[in-house]
Amino acid sequence: ILRRPCFRIPLNEVEMAEVVEVRPLREFGGYGIRGGKGGRMGVVVRKGPALQVHRTGGRVFLVTVDDAATGAALLNTLAGRTRG
């Protein structure tokens, strides 16, 4: 039985979220769950805007989504509340 991958990032590990433009072939070598330049990890299903999350320890996670700007704003607000 195949399972869908699930990624969870605890709010206390979120340093900052931002919107970035992704070029899958150039930056990740293709589509899917990929490792990219600069040690980024991402779920890349298309070219264009993506939500990029900077985590503690210098780790970066990226996912291409609709309305990445709203996701980044919400994540930054929630992470800020967690930090106090």
Side-chain angles (χ1 to χ4, degrees), residues 8-10 13-16 53-61:
R8 293 190 175 130
I9 300 173
E13 289 185 12
V14 175
E15 291 182 346
M16 179 188 76
V53 181
H54 296 267
R55 302 173 63 186
T56 55
R59 297 170 293 173
V60 178
F61 182 79

Side-chain angles (χ1 to χ4, degrees), residues 40-84:
R40 294 188 300 173
M41 180 182 173
V43 179
V44 182
V45 295
R46 64 178 176 224
K47 178 181 176 181
L51 173 62
Q52 180 167 278
V53 181
H54 296 267
R55 302 173 63 186
T56 55
R59 297 170 293 173
V60 178
F61 182 79
L62 175 141
V63 61
T64 54
V65 293
D66 290 332
D67 199 6
T70 299
L74 177 61
L75 192 52
N76 282 325
T77 299
L78 294 173
R81 289 180 186 171
T82 300
R83 286 190 293 270

Side-chain angles (χ1 to χ4, degrees), residues 1 4 6 13 25 27 30 33 35 44 51 69 72:
I1 296 175
R4 244 186 342 210
C6 179
E13 289 185 12
L25 295 175
E27 297 175 41
I33 300 170
V44 182
L51 173 62

Side-chain angles (χ1 to χ4, degrees), residues 22-43:
V22 175
R23 295 172 301 211
L25 295 175
R26 180 177 287 172
E27 297 175 41
F28 289 91
Y31 297 88
I33 300 170
R34 312 290 287 195
K37 293 181 179 179
R40 294 188 300 173
M41 180 182 173
V43 179

